Amino acid sequence: MDKYNERLKKKVSIGLSLELSLEEYEKIFDNYGEYLHSLYFSPPLDGKYHSRTKITTQLQNPRNKKKLFDILELAKENDILLDCVLNRPTIRLCDVEQAIPFIETMKVDQITCLQEHVDLIDKYFPDKDLIFSYNNDLNPRDINNISKKFGTVVVAKSFLRTPELLRKIATNGFKLKPLVNNGCSYNCQGCKTGNIECQNTFDKNLEKYGLNYLYALQSFYPFELEELLNIIEEEKIPLESIKISNRTDGYSYLNKCLDSYINGTNPQKYIDEHPQNYRLWSRLGALNDHLFELDSEEIIKIKEKGFKKHV
């Protein structure tokens, strides 16, 4: 376990959530600061930069805007990089241009964006690490088309279980940033298709494959992260960081999620506490109505047996 923890030092990327107070972020940084690599956030300008309406509503309150800046400053004081995320699927080039002055003022370290905007962002920030967003909905056949202006590629879904794809991305000159707990359906057509399509995809998969199989496939447990780190280490694949999805949840969620992945805490501990904690390793909204139906022992058996098919 010591080796496992050691590999995650300064390698975990978390989201800025306004559900946490400044004092709660201080606790997170005190407890996990040695493991935290970066804090990602979207510009607090207006709703077009945010996929989640909850965040847009929160930022209409001036106190929350101030809190956002206070949290960013606290992250800087703790040597945690700032990653400005410009990746809402509907964002336009003119919206990106509008955000440029804000990014310059904040002196961010990284920028996560869509491929269609990378040329503009690289023009203004040629010295920043540009990150290929998960919202680009990367398809395995498109790996060779990733712009070389990116330094890092966010990967999730089937990529986390397919070493040859990770190897191919690395061979093309990119660092990897696995997103481990988003829980999206493997055959989803991407966030541009909207929430209705997301729900419909899940419903079709559920009818065909069953709930425990889907959860086992789409969730990512601590022992699976350890296995992924073993592959990355053995293959000498450059790892930028491990991304945790948490931007609409509070202190309890983030604290448990970090404890689980960093300390390798057995998921059963949190599942016994409450079935809602299944969300720690898969945040797919469509699963929320089924958490009490999940069978923990069956899920482990499926994970240990492996997946013959990727839905």
Side-chain angles (χ1 to χ4, degrees):
M1 192 57 64
D2 289 340
K3 181 182 179 183
Y4 178 57
N5 280 343
E6 193 71 28
R7 291 187 295 191
L8 286 178
K9 284 189 175 179
K10 303 308 289 184
K11 286 294 185 183
V12 179
S13 177
I14 61 173
L16 193 159
S17 171
L18 292 170
E19 294 296 310
L20 279 77
S21 66
L22 186 64
E23 291 72 24
E24 287 172 332
Y25 264 107
E26 288 177 342
K27 289 181 183 179
I28 291 292
F29 294 164
D30 286 344
N31 292 334
Y32 300 104
E34 64 180 315
Y35 297 99
L36 297 182
H37 170 272
S38 54
L39 179 72
Y40 63 90
F41 66 100
S42 297
L45 302 177
D46 61 46
K48 61 193 172 189
Y49 298 99
H50 304 275
S51 299
R52 301 166 180 87
T53 55
K54 181 178 184 179
I55 297 176
T56 300
T57 301
Q58 288 173 325
L59 288 172
Q60 291 173 354
N61 184 334
R63 291 184 179 179
N64 279 332
K65 275 195 175 182
K66 181 182 184 304
K67 183 168 75 170
L68 181 145
F69 286 108
D70 289 342
I71 293 169
L72 293 177
E73 188 60 37
L74 182 65
K76 285 183 180 180
E77 293 172 2
N78 283 271
D79 297 319
I80 297 168
L81 302 181
L82 301 186
D83 175 11
C84 185
V85 177
L86 295 166
N87 67 345
R88 186 179 180 183
T90 57
I91 197 172
R92 301 168 299 173
L93 192 64
C94 62
D95 300 326
V96 175
E97 288 180 308
Q98 184 180 338
I100 296 297
F102 167 81
I103 299 174
E104 291 174 333
T105 300
M106 285 307 302
K107 295 182 172 58
V108 303
D109 303 287
Q110 302 175 309
I111 302 169
T112 298
C113 68
L114 303 177
Q115 169 123 320
E116 61 207 76
H117 302 145
V118 70
D119 291 338
L120 174 67
I121 294 174
D122 181 66
K123 174 184 174 182
Y124 283 96
F125 305 102
D127 59 333
K128 303 295 183 187
D129 182 17
L130 305 186
I131 300 175
F132 182 91
S133 171
Y134 169 72
N135 284 349
N136 283 296
D137 194 33
L138 180 62
N139 189 296
R141 63 175 176 271
D142 292 328
I143 290 175
N144 291 332
N145 297 326
I146 300 174
S147 171
K148 298 299 183 182
K149 292 181 179 178
F150 289 107
T152 298
V153 175
V154 178
V155 294
K157 297 194 291 190
S158 63
F159 284 85
L160 300 182
R161 305 187 189 282
T162 317
E164 56 267 29
L165 293 180
L166 304 182
R167 191 183 310 118
K168 184 175 181 180
I169 294 172
T171 300
N172 281 9
F174 303 106
K175 294 174 287 185
L176 290 182
K177 186 170 186 173
L179 170 57
V180 293
N181 68 326
N182 69 315
C184 290
S185 300
Y186 277 28
N187 55 344
C188 154
Q189 298 303 307
C191 293
K192 289 183 179 181
T193 60
N195 291 336
I196 294 177
E197 181 62 28
C198 176
Q199 181 69 52
N200 289 341
T201 300
F202 173 80
D203 290 342
K204 291 176 183 176
N205 290 340
L206 181 61
E207 184 177 343
K208 186 174 182 179
Y209 298 102
L211 180 61
N212 287 319
Y213 183 88
L214 286 187
Y215 181 84
L217 178 69
Q218 293 168 212
S219 62
F220 209 69
Y221 277 8
F223 76 84
E224 294 177 288
L225 175 56
E226 185 169 9
E227 291 170 357
L228 178 62
L229 291 174
N230 288 339
I231 291 170
I232 286 173
E233 190 172 78
E234 291 167 4
E235 298 279 348
K236 294 183 171 55
I237 294 172
L239 176 67
E240 196 269 350
S241 62
I242 300 292
K243 186 173 184 177
I244 301 293
S245 176
N246 68 286
R247 290 182 65 192
T248 55
D249 278 291
Y251 174 80
S252 178
Y253 180 93
L254 180 56
N255 188 55
K256 291 174 184 176
C257 195
L258 290 173
D259 170 60
S260 178
Y261 282 121
I262 290 173
N263 296 319
T265 302
N266 190 329
Q268 196 62 49
K269 170 189 173 182
Y270 288 122
I271 293 168
D272 288 343
E273 182 182 298
H274 199 285
Q276 187 71 15
N277 286 327
Y278 276 112
R279 294 185 67 253
L280 294 173
W281 313 285
S282 175
R283 287 170 59 85
L284 182 67
L287 274 167
N288 290 344
D289 292 335
H290 301 277
L291 299 178
F292 285 85
E293 305 166 35
L294 291 168
D295 184 324
S296 182
E297 290 186 6
E298 180 64 20
I299 289 166
I300 292 294
K301 289 178 182 178
I302 294 170
K303 285 180 178 291
E304 290 178 342
K305 183 178 180 181
F307 304 95
K308 295 182 179 179
K309 53 184 177 297
H310 288 163
V311 177

